[in-house]
Amino acid sequence: EPLFLMADTAIVGHLGTAQLAGLGVASALLMTAVSVFVFLAYATTAAVARRVGAGDLQSAIRQGMDGIWLALLLGAAVVAVALPTAPHLVDLFGASDAATPYAITYLRISVLGIPAMLVVLAATGVLRGLQDTRTPLYVAIAGFVANGALNAGLVYGADLGIAGSAWGTVIAQCGMAAVYLVVVLRGARKHGASL
């Protein structure tokens, strides 16, 4: 998430001061939301690793799937709360009148990627617990590159402004989550683990 926001900042910074200020407010809110749920990565890693250490891969993957389901539920709750309250959340951060509409736009679109980002956290924990650290690295690099390309294309190519930056990030996050889900589901099928 921090790397995505750095790329967004670099691209949105060329649009203007108000847009950049709006991104700053929205990104602070998004980083707070994601940071609150970082336990998904650490708890899932520990739960999965404990089962792997006991020699029970089927149960390890089942524990990981529990973490992914929890991530989806928490993400849906965040979206349900943040979409209607976005203007109030932005006001709490004291955004200027010029930056407020950009912050609300970015926040409302970007919050749609929170469930995917939480799935990424939980699935990263699953793979780390299974002693696979390469896949998370490759997915993170691919996601960062895709985010940058999508943002540039949507902000400048499609002329969507700050909304294009937010949509690029959401698409990249969903792509990362999809890759992780494919990897974890493949492991679940291989070891006969329940979803």
Side-chain angles (χ1 to χ4, degrees), residues 57-79:
L57 283 176
Q58 185 181 53
S59 182
I61 293 172
R62 199 168 47 245
Q63 285 281 322
M65 288 305 303
D66 288 348
I68 290 170
W69 282 113
L70 179 60
L72 285 169
L73 290 172
L74 291 171
V78 169
V79 170

mmCIF file of all heavy atoms in Angstrom, residues 57-79:
data_model
loop_
_atom_site.group_PDB
_atom_site.id
_atom_site.type_symbol
_atom_site.label_atom_id
_atom_site.label_comp_id
_atom_site.label_asym_id
_atom_site.label_seq_id
_atom_site.Cartn_x
_atom_site.Cartn_y
_atom_site.Cartn_z
ATOM 1 N N LEU A 57 -0.475 -30.075 6.488
ATOM 2 C CA LEU A 57 -0.624 -29.063 5.450
ATOM 3 C C LEU A 57 -2.092 -28.759 5.152
ATOM 4 O O LEU A 57 -2.451 -27.614 4.882
ATOM 5 C CB LEU A 57 0.088 -29.492 4.171
ATOM 6 C CG LEU A 57 1.602 -29.343 4.179
ATOM 7 C CD1 LEU A 57 2.213 -29.892 2.900
ATOM 8 C CD2 LEU A 57 1.995 -27.896 4.374
ATOM 9 N N GLN A 58 -2.922 -29.779 5.203
ATOM 10 C CA GLN A 58 -4.349 -29.572 4.930
ATOM 11 C C GLN A 58 -4.949 -28.592 5.936
ATOM 12 O O GLN A 58 -5.642 -27.644 5.576
ATOM 13 C CB GLN A 58 -5.081 -30.909 4.986
ATOM 14 C CG GLN A 58 -6.537 -30.815 4.595
ATOM 15 C CD GLN A 58 -7.227 -32.167 4.701
ATOM 16 O OE1 GLN A 58 -7.159 -32.810 5.746
ATOM 17 N NE2 GLN A 58 -7.877 -32.586 3.625
ATOM 18 N N SER A 59 -4.653 -28.790 7.191
ATOM 19 C CA SER A 59 -5.145 -27.906 8.237
ATOM 20 C C SER A 59 -4.498 -26.529 8.132
ATOM 21 O O SER A 59 -5.137 -25.510 8.409
ATOM 22 C CB SER A 59 -4.868 -28.527 9.606
ATOM 23 O OG SER A 59 -5.361 -27.713 10.626
ATOM 24 N N ALA A 60 -3.236 -26.470 7.722
ATOM 25 C CA ALA A 60 -2.546 -25.190 7.559
ATOM 26 C C ALA A 60 -3.247 -24.339 6.505
ATOM 27 O O ALA A 60 -3.499 -23.149 6.717
ATOM 28 C CB ALA A 60 -1.087 -25.428 7.165
ATOM 29 N N ILE A 61 -3.570 -24.948 5.398
ATOM 30 C CA ILE A 61 -4.236 -24.205 4.330
ATOM 31 C C ILE A 61 -5.645 -23.817 4.757
ATOM 32 O O ILE A 61 -6.120 -22.714 4.451
ATOM 33 C CB ILE A 61 -4.225 -25.001 3.017
ATOM 34 C CG1 ILE A 61 -2.781 -25.122 2.527
ATOM 35 C CG2 ILE A 61 -5.097 -24.349 1.969
ATOM 36 C CD1 ILE A 61 -2.579 -26.032 1.359
ATOM 37 N N ARG A 62 -6.305 -24.683 5.493
ATOM 38 C CA ARG A 62 -7.642 -24.358 6.000
ATOM 39 C C ARG A 62 -7.576 -23.142 6.940
ATOM 40 O O ARG A 62 -8.421 -22.255 6.876
ATOM 41 C CB ARG A 62 -8.257 -25.569 6.699
ATOM 42 C CG ARG A 62 -9.757 -25.467 6.844
ATOM 43 C CD ARG A 62 -10.425 -26.764 7.273
ATOM 44 N NE ARG A 62 -9.772 -27.431 8.376
ATOM 45 C CZ ARG A 62 -9.164 -28.641 8.285
ATOM 46 N NH1 ARG A 62 -9.160 -29.285 7.151
ATOM 47 N NH2 ARG A 62 -8.603 -29.173 9.329
ATOM 48 N N GLN A 63 -6.539 -23.093 7.765
ATOM 49 C CA GLN A 63 -6.340 -21.919 8.635
ATOM 50 C C GLN A 63 -6.138 -20.665 7.794
ATOM 51 O O GLN A 63 -6.662 -19.599 8.103
ATOM 52 C CB GLN A 63 -5.109 -22.113 9.533
ATOM 53 C CG GLN A 63 -5.295 -23.054 10.662
ATOM 54 C CD GLN A 63 -6.044 -22.404 11.806
ATOM 55 O OE1 GLN A 63 -5.854 -21.241 12.114
ATOM 56 N NE2 GLN A 63 -6.917 -23.160 12.437
ATOM 57 N N GLY A 64 -5.357 -20.800 6.725
ATOM 58 C CA GLY A 64 -5.130 -19.682 5.826
ATOM 59 C C GLY A 64 -6.410 -19.206 5.160
ATOM 60 O O GLY A 64 -6.638 -18.005 5.013
ATOM 61 N N MET A 65 -7.238 -20.154 4.752
ATOM 62 C CA MET A 65 -8.527 -19.794 4.139
ATOM 63 C C MET A 65 -9.408 -19.052 5.140
ATOM 64 O O MET A 65 -10.112 -18.112 4.762
ATOM 65 C CB MET A 65 -9.246 -21.035 3.610
ATOM 66 C CG MET A 65 -8.621 -21.635 2.365
ATOM 67 S SD MET A 65 -8.446 -20.473 0.987
ATOM 68 C CE MET A 65 -10.130 -19.933 0.746
ATOM 69 N N ASP A 66 -9.357 -19.447 6.407
ATOM 70 C CA ASP A 66 -10.105 -18.720 7.439
ATOM 71 C C ASP A 66 -9.651 -17.261 7.498
ATOM 72 O O ASP A 66 -10.473 -16.337 7.611
ATOM 73 C CB ASP A 66 -9.915 -19.367 8.810
ATOM 74 C CG ASP A 66 -10.633 -20.697 8.946
ATOM 75 O OD1 ASP A 66 -11.471 -21.028 8.079
ATOM 76 O OD2 ASP A 66 -10.343 -21.417 9.928
ATOM 77 N N GLY A 67 -8.345 -17.035 7.411
ATOM 78 C CA GLY A 67 -7.815 -15.679 7.408
ATOM 79 C C GLY A 67 -8.280 -14.884 6.199
ATOM 80 O O GLY A 67 -8.600 -13.698 6.305
ATOM 81 N N ILE A 68 -8.345 -15.540 5.049
ATOM 82 C CA ILE A 68 -8.802 -14.866 3.832
ATOM 83 C C ILE A 68 -10.282 -14.514 3.929
ATOM 84 O O ILE A 68 -10.702 -13.408 3.550
ATOM 85 C CB ILE A 68 -8.481 -15.725 2.593
ATOM 86 C CG1 ILE A 68 -6.963 -15.744 2.374
ATOM 87 C CG2 ILE A 68 -9.211 -15.208 1.361
ATOM 88 C CD1 ILE A 68 -6.486 -16.730 1.332
ATOM 89 N N TRP A 69 -11.087 -15.434 4.445
ATOM 90 C CA TRP A 69 -12.516 -15.137 4.636
ATOM 91 C C TRP A 69 -12.704 -13.975 5.601
ATOM 92 O O TRP A 69 -13.536 -13.092 5.384
ATOM 93 C CB TRP A 69 -13.279 -16.366 5.123
ATOM 94 C CG TRP A 69 -13.585 -17.346 4.031
ATOM 95 C CD1 TRP A 69 -13.075 -18.602 3.895
ATOM 96 C CD2 TRP A 69 -14.464 -17.144 2.915
ATOM 97 N NE1 TRP A 69 -13.578 -19.186 2.755
ATOM 98 C CE2 TRP A 69 -14.438 -18.320 2.143
ATOM 99 C CE3 TRP A 69 -15.257 -16.086 2.498
ATOM 100 C CZ2 TRP A 69 -15.180 -18.466 0.976
ATOM 101 C CZ3 TRP A 69 -16.004 -16.222 1.338
ATOM 102 C CH2 TRP A 69 -15.957 -17.398 0.591
ATOM 103 N N LEU A 70 -11.923 -13.964 6.677
ATOM 104 C CA LEU A 70 -12.000 -12.859 7.638
ATOM 105 C C LEU A 70 -11.620 -11.544 6.957
ATOM 106 O O LEU A 70 -12.265 -10.516 7.176
ATOM 107 C CB LEU A 70 -11.088 -13.128 8.842
ATOM 108 C CG LEU A 70 -11.049 -12.033 9.909
ATOM 109 C CD1 LEU A 70 -12.427 -11.787 10.510
ATOM 110 C CD2 LEU A 70 -10.038 -12.395 10.995
ATOM 111 N N ALA A 71 -10.591 -11.575 6.118
ATOM 112 C CA ALA A 71 -10.173 -10.379 5.390
ATOM 113 C C ALA A 71 -11.300 -9.855 4.509
ATOM 114 O O ALA A 71 -11.554 -8.645 4.460
ATOM 115 C CB ALA A 71 -8.934 -10.685 4.545
ATOM 116 N N LEU A 72 -11.977 -10.756 3.812
ATOM 117 C CA LEU A 72 -13.086 -10.338 2.955
ATOM 118 C C LEU A 72 -14.224 -9.719 3.761
ATOM 119 O O LEU A 72 -14.791 -8.692 3.370
ATOM 120 C CB LEU A 72 -13.605 -11.516 2.130
ATOM 121 C CG LEU A 72 -12.726 -11.935 0.963
ATOM 122 C CD1 LEU A 72 -13.197 -13.264 0.375
ATOM 123 C CD2 LEU A 72 -12.710 -10.849 -0.103
ATOM 124 N N LEU A 73 -14.555 -10.326 4.890
ATOM 125 C CA LEU A 73 -15.628 -9.791 5.731
ATOM 126 C C LEU A 73 -15.268 -8.417 6.305
ATOM 127 O O LEU A 73 -16.084 -7.494 6.289
ATOM 128 C CB LEU A 73 -15.959 -10.768 6.853
ATOM 129 C CG LEU A 73 -16.641 -12.066 6.434
ATOM 130 C CD1 LEU A 73 -16.736 -13.035 7.609
ATOM 131 C CD2 LEU A 73 -18.030 -11.777 5.875
ATOM 132 N N LEU A 74 -14.044 -8.293 6.808
ATOM 133 C CA LEU A 74 -13.614 -7.001 7.356
ATOM 134 C C LEU A 74 -13.550 -5.938 6.260
ATOM 135 O O LEU A 74 -13.942 -4.790 6.474
ATOM 136 C CB LEU A 74 -12.254 -7.144 8.039
ATOM 137 C CG LEU A 74 -12.236 -7.960 9.326
ATOM 138 C CD1 LEU A 74 -10.808 -8.203 9.786
ATOM 139 C CD2 LEU A 74 -13.049 -7.275 10.404
ATOM 140 N N GLY A 75 -13.076 -6.329 5.083
ATOM 141 C CA GLY A 75 -13.010 -5.397 3.962
ATOM 142 C C GLY A 75 -14.387 -4.907 3.550
ATOM 143 O O GLY A 75 -14.585 -3.716 3.289
ATOM 144 N N ALA A 76 -15.348 -5.821 3.505
ATOM 145 C CA ALA A 76 -16.718 -5.436 3.161
ATOM 146 C C ALA A 76 -17.283 -4.470 4.200
ATOM 147 O O ALA A 76 -17.974 -3.501 3.853
ATOM 148 C CB ALA A 76 -17.605 -6.672 3.038
ATOM 149 N N ALA A 77 -16.972 -4.701 5.467
ATOM 150 C CA ALA A 77 -17.449 -3.801 6.526
ATOM 151 C C ALA A 77 -16.826 -2.412 6.385
ATOM 152 O O ALA A 77 -17.518 -1.401 6.546
ATOM 153 C CB ALA A 77 -17.123 -4.389 7.904
ATOM 154 N N VAL A 78 -15.545 -2.355 6.060
ATOM 155 C CA VAL A 78 -14.878 -1.061 5.870
ATOM 156 C C VAL A 78 -15.520 -0.300 4.710
ATOM 157 O O VAL A 78 -15.795 0.897 4.809
ATOM 158 C CB VAL A 78 -13.361 -1.238 5.638
ATOM 159 C CG1 VAL A 78 -12.718 0.064 5.177
ATOM 160 C CG2 VAL A 78 -12.685 -1.740 6.898
ATOM 161 N N VAL A 79 -15.780 -0.999 3.604
ATOM 162 C CA VAL A 79 -16.415 -0.355 2.453
ATOM 163 C C VAL A 79 -17.795 0.166 2.834
ATOM 164 O O VAL A 79 -18.158 1.306 2.519
ATOM 165 C CB VAL A 79 -16.510 -1.335 1.249
ATOM 166 C CG1 VAL A 79 -17.372 -0.759 0.141
ATOM 167 C CG2 VAL A 79 -15.124 -1.660 0.724
#
